[in-house]
Amino acid sequence: SRKCHETARRHGKSVVVMEPVKGGLLARLPQSAVDILKSLRPDMSIPSWGIRFAASLDGIITVLSGMSSLEQMRDNISYMKSFEPLGPEELSALDKVRAILAGFRSIPCTSCRYCVEVCPQAIPVPNILEALNINDMYGNNETARGRYRVAVMGRSSASDCLKCGRCEEACPQHIEIRSHLERAVNELA
């Protein structure tokens, strides 16, 4: 995304940002990252940091943030109504959070579900990948296994994968879904 932004600005183009909270993934940070942000701005929601970061960049004309509840919409309005760009101290805090996240193995699934739409087994891939992320980012295998069980309850499981690759062809994030499904079988099933 950074390279796209830099290229657009180099050519004098304005930019519209989509998914500043990465489909909600950046709203669910590890506690160590949450602590950094909340110590600086306890009044701000975690998603607000991603949206304000994007809106603070040069040449941004619109930030499109997906919301799934009235509460999320009110939250977005609260800090965008009289927008305040991130200051140096806030940018420094985000650098610390970025370093924490870089230390975790994480699957960048945005739950678009394009993979599920083309899967001949209708495997709930985003739910399974979310369970893997919980296991990887929080080291909480018990919760991750529980999420996996709920994800596959009454549906196909990771072990039902035919390895056809249709999911990977449909994935806009270019995730190696088949290998993650194999890992889910070994770590969560």
Side-chain angles (χ1 to χ4, degrees):
S1 297
R2 180 181 46 83
K3 288 179 183 179
C4 290
H5 175 256
E6 290 170 354
T7 301
R9 295 309 297 150
R10 205 171 31 252
H11 293 282
K13 301 295 181 189
S14 297
V15 177
V16 173
V17 175
M18 291 178 63
E19 292 195 3
V21 190
K22 203 148 175 58
L25 284 179
L26 295 178
R28 298 181 300 269
L29 297 175
Q31 191 59 48
S32 56
V34 170
D35 291 344
I36 290 169
L37 301 179
K38 287 294 185 180
S39 71
L40 190 61
R41 295 290 301 265
D43 57 317
M44 299 297 287
S45 68
I46 297 305
S48 73
W49 287 85
I51 296 168
R52 287 182 58 231
F53 173 80
S56 296
L57 295 171
D58 176 54
I60 303 299
I61 58 171
T62 303
V63 177
L64 301 172
S65 170
M67 296 161 279
S68 54
S69 72
L70 186 58
E71 179 185 336
Q72 289 175 358
M73 184 180 72
R74 286 183 178 138
D75 181 50
N76 286 1
I77 290 169
S78 74
Y79 52 82
M80 292 304 285
K81 191 174 189 178
S82 51
F83 176 68
E84 179 185 324
L86 294 174
E89 195 175 10
E90 291 171 311
L91 290 169
S92 175
L94 286 180
D95 283 338
K96 292 174 187 171
V97 168
R98 206 171 308 159
I100 289 169
L101 294 177
F104 291 107
R105 176 174 59 174
S106 165
I107 306 163
C109 176
T110 62
S111 297
C112 68
R113 305 195 70 77
Y114 297 147
C115 54
V116 180
E117 292 172 12
V118 299
C119 178
Q121 299 292 83
I123 296 171
V125 173
N127 309 77
I128 293 170
L129 298 184
E130 179 185 17
L132 281 170
N133 275 338
I134 289 168
N135 197 41
D136 295 342
M137 293 183 72
Y138 303 100
N140 191 333
N141 187 260
E142 184 179 328
T143 299
R145 283 176 180 262
R147 286 281 180 94
Y148 176 83
R149 282 192 301 275
V150 168
V152 301
M153 192 179 301
R155 300 180 184 150
S156 297
S157 69
S159 61
D160 294 318
C161 178
L162 302 174
K163 309 228 183 314
C164 67
R166 291 181 191 166
C167 55
E168 293 177 7
E169 291 170 10
C171 180
Q173 306 301 328
H174 310 291
I175 297 170
E176 295 177 359
I177 296 170
R178 293 174 288 182
S179 65
H180 289 301
L181 291 177
E182 277 184 42
R183 196 161 65 85
V185 170
N186 295 327
E187 296 176 20
L188 304 177

